[in-house]
Amino acid sequence: MKTKQSRPPRRIREQQMIDAAVTVFSRGDYHTVSMEEIAAEAGTSKPTVYQYLGSKEEIFTACVRRETDRLVEAVRAAVHDPHAPAGEDPLRRGMHAFFAFVTGNRESWTVLYRRAALRGGPLAEETARLRDRVVAEVVGLITACTRGDYDDLDPRDTQLLARIAVSTADAFADWLLEHPGESPDAMAGHVTELTWSHLRSRRGAASP
């Protein structure tokens, strides 16, 4: 007598389909990717993908949201690591986690940074909102790191520093992927030093 094989819970199947979609979107342009490709990568049918995740635009948005969540969670965990050595720069830890995520999740980074950046309309707006989440994380981090030494730091300067750090990290991430000899730690050191150098220069310019 054959035993009926149970299906994975819906939540797990959805995540498996998003995994497949991230892989497919990382390989080709959004416009050329078909629902058939996503279904084939997921080992299921096109109607099932529609049933679970909706349209191609909804699937792409789900991919970007989930991978942004994963990136933010990785950075946040590194920044607030309770076992980190005393005196270690949390900004550098966060940047190291960022670059480690990029190198360990190349498909995710391709979808987040390259594919999403080329989309227009609602997806561009969604991507901008998700990027603002990352910037907000860095704003909070810089605020915490400068407390005491830079209490007079203008909030606008903090926002600027955060955006510089995130934009620099974006550019360095592409460099890192194109130059396998580089390491996440080296890239983290570069971005961290650039960020703090900019802070010191602005502080010096503001001094009488």
Side-chain angles (χ1 to χ4, degrees):
M1 181 177 177
K2 291 184 178 180
T3 303
K4 186 176 179 180
Q5 188 174 9
S6 61
R7 292 183 178 181
R10 182 183 180 94
R11 181 179 60 81
I12 293 177
R13 280 299 286 143
E14 286 179 351
Q15 295 307 308
Q16 291 171 340
M17 290 180 196
I18 293 176
D19 288 340
V22 168
T23 297
V24 174
F25 282 126
S26 73
R27 294 196 301 239
D29 179 77
Y30 172 86
H31 296 289
T32 63
V33 166
S34 67
M35 293 293 283
E36 287 84 355
E37 289 178 89
I38 295 173
E41 185 70 28
T44 189
S45 65
K46 186 168 73 169
T48 300
V49 175
Y50 275 117
Q51 177 187 352
Y52 275 72
L53 298 178
S55 68
K56 185 167 76 169
E57 183 172 303
E58 290 173 316
I59 294 171
F60 189 83
T61 300
C63 290
V64 173
R65 285 177 178 171
R66 193 192 70 174
E67 298 313 293
T68 300
D69 286 343
R70 292 180 62 222
L71 173 58
V72 170
E73 287 168 9
V75 171
R76 187 179 293 168
V79 168
H80 301 289
D81 182 2
H83 304 295
E88 188 176 67
D89 186 352
L91 178 60
R92 179 165 182 151
R93 287 203 307 272
M95 287 300 170
H96 183 277
F98 173 87
F99 288 116
F101 179 92
V102 170
T103 56
N105 301 272
R106 290 170 182 257
E107 291 178 347
S108 297
W109 181 250
T110 298
V111 171
L112 276 174
Y113 185 66
R114 293 178 176 166
R115 301 291 182 258
L118 296 176
R119 295 291 298 135
L123 280 180
E125 295 173 6
E126 177 69 18
T127 301
R129 283 195 295 270
L130 294 172
R131 185 181 178 81
D132 286 343
R133 281 186 56 201
V134 177
V135 172
E137 287 290 321
V138 180
V139 166
L141 176 55
I142 291 175
T143 300
C145 290
T146 56
R147 190 171 293 122
D149 294 327
Y150 295 89
D151 286 337
D152 58 344
L153 186 64
D154 191 305
R156 289 177 298 180
D157 284 340
T158 305
Q159 280 281 345
L160 177 61
L161 280 168
R163 291 187 179 279
I164 289 172
V166 172
S167 296
T168 305
D170 284 350
F172 276 38
D174 278 350
W175 172 270
L176 180 61
L177 293 180
E178 293 167 4
H179 297 80
E182 297 284 4
S183 69
D185 187 63
M187 294 295 98
H190 291 321
V191 175
T192 304
E193 180 54 34
L194 285 171
T195 303
W196 293 132
S197 293
H198 188 77
L199 175 61
R200 289 190 293 268
S201 67
R202 290 188 69 82
R203 182 64 179 275
S207 299

